[in-house]
Amino acid sequence: MSTHYTGLIERYRDRLPVSKDTPVISLGEGNTPLIELRNLPRLIKKEVRILVKYEGLNPTGSFKDRGMTMAVTKAVEAGSKAIICASTGNTSAAAAAYGARAGITSFVLIPEGKIALGKLSQAMMHGSVVIQIKGNFDDGMRLVQEVARDMPVTIVNSINPFRLQGQKTAAFEIVEELGEAPDYHALPVGNAGNITAHWIGYSEYICKDTQACALCKGKCGFHKEPRGAKRPIMLGYQAAGSAPFMRGAMVDHPETVATAIRIGHPMSWNQAWKVKEESGGWFGECTDQEILHVQKLLAQSEGVFCEPASATSLAGVLKDLERGAIGEGSTIVCTLTGHGLKDPDTAIAQSTRPITVDASRGAIEKVIGENMAG
Ligand code: F0G
């Protein structure tokens, strides 16, 4: 039997809305590492098991590839020749890459000056039509919906239901690796599609009754074999400057260094509240300073480099461990939604400058002497 991995649609074909004739557009997405943190729990002196789901290792460097393989596959199946999205960067990178793979045109609307450099380079390099708007993500999302009403373009934002179908597979992978759902699952929340998708995934995994399942109405094809009854408590963390779920209302001028989640009018508003209620979870917020601190802490204590928005999940968990909201002995999964290389400017701005010396042995030895640990 071949062990060649060909992406999440093939792997979870029986749980996704595809047929044998569906033309699958894949770049080998999914199957990302679930890395147990070794040093950080010791540093914070807590008896907990924290695992990070490193979604930055998807083909375009973020979890968006999970949704995009499904959205573009279904768009092509329906005969669409063009896709469109609004984006804070990662969705545009994924739409650009999967659009290229499918041989269709992609239009991406991004907030001018507010997307990380790596993401912009991806959209440009894959040949998207990149439209910078003098507005924020929420303006872009509104415009995309208006335009798609009259023009032959398929929206590939998470309001496209196939996106969430693809993204739910991250939950399948976690349950399969751990043998059951974790106690807590933490995610950064922007548009709130991903937290919704994970809950669908966890719920379908335990769903026993094909007829009665309210979530999938028996369509997920995954009901024959119940796999235990556990679902995690879902935790959604936002950046303090763009935290509509904390305010309980939309935010008109969101601001945060974590540009990926600089969103004030989340599309999956109702769904995310439902996830909170059903899972017994909560929302939390982290300041930009806390987010950047944890991004660096993770990079330097564990060797895992994620982008600022992604660090929000871990930053929120560390705060909730500290205040006792999450108990010791828990197993916690934090999704790291995007790779740190997406945003080199923010990484460099908070790191120690390189040391410049003469090209001499003496100069190098001096630096080593001065910087040797212990
Ligand atoms: N983390 C990263 C790195 C993201 O790019 C996003 C969303 C999120 C978290 C939040 O996920 O929206 O499902 O709650 N990025 C979108 C984009 C909006 O355009 O790339 P969500």
Side-chain angles (χ1 to χ4, degrees), residues 62-64 86-92 119 137 157-158 163-164 167 188-195 260-261 263 307 309-310 337-339:
S62 88
F63 73 97
K64 302 290 179 177
S87 181
T88 56
N90 281 324
T91 300
S92 64
K119 305 174 189 181
F137 171 85
N157 282 105
S158 56
R163 276 276 311 272
L164 300 193
Q167 286 170 214
V189 171
N191 224 9
N194 210 24
I195 195 167
I261 50 173
I263 296 172
E307 67 170 286
S310 309
T337 43
H339 202 290

Side-chain angles (χ1 to χ4, degrees), residues 11-208:
R11 178 162 174 190
Y12 294 111
R13 172 169 274 288
D14 57 342
R15 295 158 223 180
L16 291 166
V18 289
S19 76
K20 63 179 185 359
D21 300 323
T22 305
V24 175
I25 310 295
S26 170
L27 292 166
E29 58 294 310
N31 200 20
T32 54
L34 186 61
I35 304 168
E36 177 152 6
L37 301 187
R38 296 177 143 195
N39 303 319
L40 224 150
R42 231 180 329 119
L43 279 175
I44 60 167
K45 299 188 176 62
K46 297 280 180 198
E47 286 292 326
V48 281
R49 202 173 167 215
I50 306 176
L51 302 103
V52 291
K53 181 74 168 155
Y54 196 12
E55 291 287 273
L57 293 194
N58 275 296
T60 77
S62 88
F63 73 97
K64 302 290 179 177
D65 296 341
R66 290 184 186 273
M68 204 54 73
T69 183
M70 271 306 299
V72 173
T73 289
K74 295 303 282 187
V76 170
E77 184 175 45
S80 177
K81 297 279 183 283
I83 54 176
I84 190 167
C85 65
S87 181
T88 56
N90 281 324
T91 300
S92 64
Y98 285 81
R101 179 81 164 166
I104 60 176
T105 308
S106 56
F107 297 95
V108 304
L109 273 69
I110 54 170
E112 186 188 23
K114 291 290 184 182
I115 88 165
L117 198 64
K119 305 174 189 181
L120 180 61
S121 77
Q122 289 176 290
M124 293 166 68
M125 189 67 182
H126 289 302
S128 251
V129 180
V130 181
I131 308 168
Q132 301 201 75
I133 60 164
K134 296 180 196 306
N136 60 24
F137 171 85
D138 303 308
D139 298 318
M141 199 61 246
R142 177 177 46 78
L143 289 165
V144 158
Q145 292 177 88
E146 283 175 22
V147 167
R149 251 175 245 136
D150 297 321
M151 303 196 79
V153 287
T154 304
I155 298 178
V156 293
N157 282 105
S158 56
I159 53 171
N160 176 328
F162 298 121
R163 276 276 311 272
L164 300 193
Q165 287 296 308
Q167 286 170 214
K168 75 182 180 184
T169 59
F172 295 166
E173 290 175 14
I174 291 164
V175 179
E176 280 166 4
E177 272 197 63
L178 295 180
E180 62 173 357
D183 300 317
Y184 295 89
H185 189 135
L187 294 122
V189 171
N191 224 9
N194 210 24
I195 195 167
T196 304
H198 276 75
W199 189 241
I200 294 173
Y202 283 121
S203 300
E204 285 184 4
Y205 224 93
I206 61 153
C207 183
K208 297 185 183 76

Side-chain angles (χ1 to χ4, degrees), residues 367-374:
V367 174
I368 293 173
E370 285 167 2
N371 288 277
M372 203 69 156

